[in-house]
Amino acid sequence: MAAHIRRRLRKGATTTAVAAAAVAALAASQAPAATLADGSAGSGDPKAAGEDTASGETDGAATGNSPYYTDLPPLVTPDKPGSSSNLPAAGSAEAGIPASVLAAYKQAERTVATTDPSCRLPWQLLAAIGKVESGQARGGRVDANGTASPRILGPALNGQGFALIKDTDGGAYDGDAVHDRAVGPMQFIPSTWASWGQDANGDGRKDPNNIYDAALAAGRYLCANDRDLALAADLDQAVLSYNRSTEYLRTVRSWYSYYQRGTHEIPDGTGTLPSTPSTPTPSPSPGTGSGPSATPSPKPSPDKPGGKPSPGPSKPGGGGSTSPTPKPPTPKPTPPSATFGSLENAGTGPLRATAGQEFDERVSVLARNAVGAPLAKVPVTFTVTGGTGTLFAGGKKTVTVRTGADGTATAPKLQAGEKAGEFTVTAVAGTGRPRTLTYAATVTARQADAIARTDEKALVAAPGEKFADAVTVKATYKDAAAAGVAVTATMVKDRLGVIDNDKGPYFKDADGKPVRTLTTLTTDADGQLRLPEVFADDNEGTYLLRLTTEGGASVVIELTVKAPEETTPEEPAPDATETPAATKP
C-alpha cells in the first residue's frame, strides 16, 4: 500500500511550513527499482535555483542536480544541545535513523578521519544529505549487506525539467542506456560514481546502491578541494557541490542541525518515508496561477530560489529587462585518486645524534590520497627549528622534496650542531588546508667511552705548595680521539666519587678562591685535556681526583701531599795533602 504524506516547503529563510497539496505514491518494495518521481519539487528543480540545466550543464554536481526531498525537520528538536547520539527509540520518529544506514555514516566518518583528518567530516552531515536524497535509503530498506532493495533511481536526466545527461555507463548502474539517472541512497550520477565510487563493505564491488559504499564516497566527495567541514563556508561549498541549489543547501543544513541535537537508532525498514518530489510544471503565462493554488507568482529575483532575470537587452538609463549576469565557473572536485588526503610518518625512528655528528636516521613521510592510496609528486617542505645549530646536509634549514611513486618523501641527512639540546623537524604538504607532521629530535653532548692519564708520573706537593707537574688526560670514543668532550674534575674521598672532599688539594677559580670541582673543562681537537694548576693545603695525606666525561667514562688520579724529608749535612773529610801542624817541643 502506497504511503501518502504531505510535502512541506519553506519559503525564503522563514520558519513557516506550508502544507502542499501534491500527494504521490512511493514504489512498492517488490518492484524492480524504486524510482523517484520523474520531476522535481519547485525548490528541488535545478531551474528553481537559477540553473540552466536543460543544456546538459550540471556544474559537476554529484547528483547532476537531480530532484530531492524537501521535507523539513519537526519544529521540536529531538533533544537539548549536547545530548547523546544514542537516545532511546522513544524520541521523535524523524530523529530515528535505520541501524544499517546509521552504521554506514559513522563508519564513513571514521574512515575519512584516518585518511583526511583535517577535513573533520561529521557523520551527521552524511545523514542530512542521505535524508534529503533518499529518505535514509527509503527508511532503511536495505539487505543484510547494506544494499538498497530495490535499488533507488532518480528520474531520467533527459533535459525535461532537469539536466540533459546522456548515458555514460551503458545502463550498468541505472538500467538506462539512453540517459543517466542518479543512483542509490546518496544519489550519485554514474559519471561521478566512476570517479568517486568506493568499496567500503569489502565485498570487492563499488556499488552506489550499497549504503556503506555510497556513504564513504559521499564523505570523500564532500572533503574534496581541501575542505575543512568544521568551517561553515567550506561546509556550504561541499553541500552545494552535491546539488547547486541554495534551497537544497538550506534543507540539508536544517537536517544537519536537527541530527546534531540528537538521534537514535531504529530497525532497518522502519524509517519515516519522506514525500515524493512533485513533477515540475511549465512556467505560467502572465496573469495565470501556478501550482495547486491560484496564488500569483512572486516577481523573480536572482537571490531567491526560482528567481531568474528575464533575458533581453538593457536600456541606457534604466528600464526594460536586464541581461543575466554570467555565473562564474564552479571548480569541480578533484577525483579521490588525485586528492591529497593525509600525511603520515613513513617509519622515521628516534632522531638522536652527538653534537657535531651526522644523524643516522632521516625524516620520512608518506602522502596518501583521499582513498588511502600512496600519492606521488606531492611537494613536502621540511624545516629545522631550534637553537642547536642542526642543519640539513648542505647547510640548509629548509628543503623541499616531492613524494615518489610509493608516496614517500625523505629529507636529506641531518648534521647535528655543536650545542646540545632539543629541536624539531616539521614536514608540511598540501595547499589550502596543509597537512603538518612534527618530529622531535635531540642533540647530545659529545661523549667519550674512555679517559686516562697521558703519563704515570707520581703527583706530589708539599703542604701549602702547588703541584709541580700538570695533570694531563686523553679522552677517546671507540678508540678514536674524542674532541670537544665535557669533563668534570672533582676532589673526592672515594674512588666511586660518592663523597666529595672538602680538604686537601684544590683548584682556584677566577677570583683566586679555592674550589674542588670544575665543570667547564673540554677536551681539545686531539681529545686531550690539561687541567689547571692544583694546589695543596696544609693537610698531608693521599687524596683522590676523579675525572668524569660526558658519556660516563672516568679516571681516578692520586695526589700526595707531604712535607719534604729533612737531610743532615755531612762534615767534610780531611784533606790528605794538608800538612799536620808542627808539634811544639
Side-chain angles (χ1 to χ4, degrees):
M1 178 178 179
H4 295 274
I5 52 180
R6 300 193 314 174
R7 171 177 172 272
R8 295 176 297 165
L9 297 173
R10 174 179 289 171
K11 292 186 178 181
T14 66
T15 59
T16 305
V18 182
V23 179
L26 288 174
S29 60
Q30 61 268 29
T35 307
L36 299 181
D38 290 333
S40 170
S43 61
D45 182 0
K47 287 180 177 295
E51 309 286 350
D52 183 8
T53 56
S55 63
E57 177 58 51
T58 65
D59 293 330
T63 64
N65 293 323
S66 293
Y68 57 91
Y69 292 113
T70 58
D71 298 54
L72 297 175
L75 294 179
V76 179
T77 54
D79 200 37
K80 62 183 179 180
S83 64
S84 169
S85 61
N86 298 312
L87 299 176
S92 168
E94 287 289 1
I97 300 178
S100 294
V101 178
L102 182 60
Y105 296 150
K106 291 184 176 181
Q107 177 179 294
E109 179 191 64
R110 292 191 300 269
T111 301
V112 171
T114 62
T115 58
D116 190 0
S118 55
C119 173
R120 295 189 281 185
L121 169 73
W123 67 261
Q124 291 90 343
L125 179 59
L126 295 175
I129 292 176
K131 178 69 175 180
V132 170
E133 292 294 345
S134 68
Q136 310 297 20
R138 299 191 328 278
R141 285 165 174 76
V142 296
D143 62 19
N145 295 320
T147 302
S149 179
R151 61 183 176 175
I152 304 171
L153 299 175
L157 299 176
N158 54 14
Q160 303 300 311
F162 316 114
L164 173 59
I165 305 180
K166 295 182 180 180
D167 176 65
T168 61
D169 65 332
Y173 295 122
D174 55 14
D176 190 334
V178 179
H179 298 99
D180 273 348
R181 297 169 179 256
V183 182
M186 305 304 282
Q187 289 288 280
F188 279 95
I189 55 175
S191 59
T192 305
W193 185 259
S195 297
W196 292 87
Q198 303 290 305
D199 175 19
N201 64 351
D203 64 355
R205 297 177 60 236
K206 297 179 181 179
D207 184 0
N209 272 291
N210 182 275
I211 185 58
Y212 291 95
D213 294 357
L216 181 57
R220 297 200 188 285
Y221 186 90
L222 294 167
C223 287
N225 296 344
D226 282 336
R227 296 189 186 104
D228 179 355
L229 299 182
L231 303 177
D234 279 10
L235 188 144
D236 288 350
Q237 290 177 4
V239 174
L240 287 171
S241 75
Y242 223 86
N243 190 307
R244 310 286 184 195
S245 163
T246 53
E247 183 67 17
Y248 178 86
L249 172 61
R250 284 194 290 268
T251 305
V252 169
R253 272 285 198 173
S254 66
W255 282 107
Y256 175 51
S257 298
Y258 181 75
Y259 287 139
Q260 280 186 311
R261 294 174 69 90
T263 62
H264 58 269
E265 179 184 299
I266 60 175
D268 288 346
T270 64
T272 302
L273 296 176
S275 303
T276 304
S278 62
T279 304
T281 56
S283 298
S285 301
T288 63
S290 173
S293 66
T295 305
S297 299
K299 183 178 180 180
S301 169
D303 297 328
K304 297 180 180 179
K308 191 173 184 181
S310 301
S314 58
K315 297 180 181 180
S321 301
T322 58
S323 300
T325 303
K327 188 179 66 175
T330 303
K332 296 182 180 180
T334 305
S337 59
T339 299
F340 189 17
S342 64
L343 191 67
E344 305 170 9
N345 185 353
T348 305
L351 296 169
R352 296 181 64 88
T354 302
Q357 303 299 311
E358 194 175 70
F359 281 74
D360 292 332
E361 196 75 18
R362 295 171 66 180
V363 177
S364 185
V365 299
L366 170 63
R368 295 186 184 275
N369 62 20
V371 295
L375 187 61
K377 300 181 180 180
V378 175
V380 182
T381 299
F382 300 92
T383 303
V384 175
T385 304
T388 65
T390 300
L391 298 170
F392 289 113
K396 296 180 179 179
K397 293 186 68 173
T398 300
V399 294
T400 299
V401 181
R402 287 184 177 272
T403 58
D406 61 352
T408 63
T410 302
K413 285 192 172 183
L414 288 164
Q415 181 72 33
E418 290 297 332
K419 186 176 180 181
E422 296 183 349
F423 68 97
T424 60
V425 179
T426 303
V428 180
T431 57
R433 207 160 31 88
R435 279 62 160 178
T436 302
L437 282 179
T438 300
Y439 298 80
T442 303
V443 175
T444 59
R446 294 173 182 266
Q447 299 181 359
D449 54 18
I451 185 171
R453 286 190 65 191
T454 57
D455 61 65
E456 296 296 329
K457 190 175 181 179
L459 299 169
V460 182
E465 302 293 332
K466 71 176 180 180
F467 286 80
D469 297 309
V471 180
T472 304
V473 294
K474 181 176 182 178
T476 57
Y477 183 72
K478 296 181 179 180
D479 297 327
V485 174
V487 179
T488 299
T490 305
M491 302 297 177
V492 295
K493 289 185 177 180
D494 60 292
R495 289 187 172 272
L496 296 178
V498 176
I499 303 174
D500 292 350
N501 205 336
D502 58 356
K503 294 181 180 180
Y506 60 89
F507 304 102
K508 288 184 179 181
D509 63 14
D511 297 327
K513 296 180 180 179
V515 292
R516 290 183 168 83
T517 298
L518 295 178
T519 59
T520 58
L521 307 173
T522 305
T523 60
D524 62 17
D526 296 323
Q528 293 192 10
L529 170 64
R530 182 186 176 96
L531 268 64
E533 292 180 324
V534 181
F535 299 86
D537 62 8
D538 295 332
N539 298 288
E540 296 189 38
T542 299
Y543 297 90
L544 301 178
L545 168 62
R546 181 181 172 89
L547 303 180
T548 305
T549 70
E550 188 73 34
S554 65
V555 62
V556 177
I557 300 170
E558 290 187 355
L559 301 174
T560 302
V561 179
K562 68 176 183 178
E565 295 181 0
E566 294 185 5
T567 58
T568 302
E570 294 183 2
E571 292 189 13
D575 192 348
T577 61
E578 191 174 308
T579 303
T583 58
K584 295 182 178 180

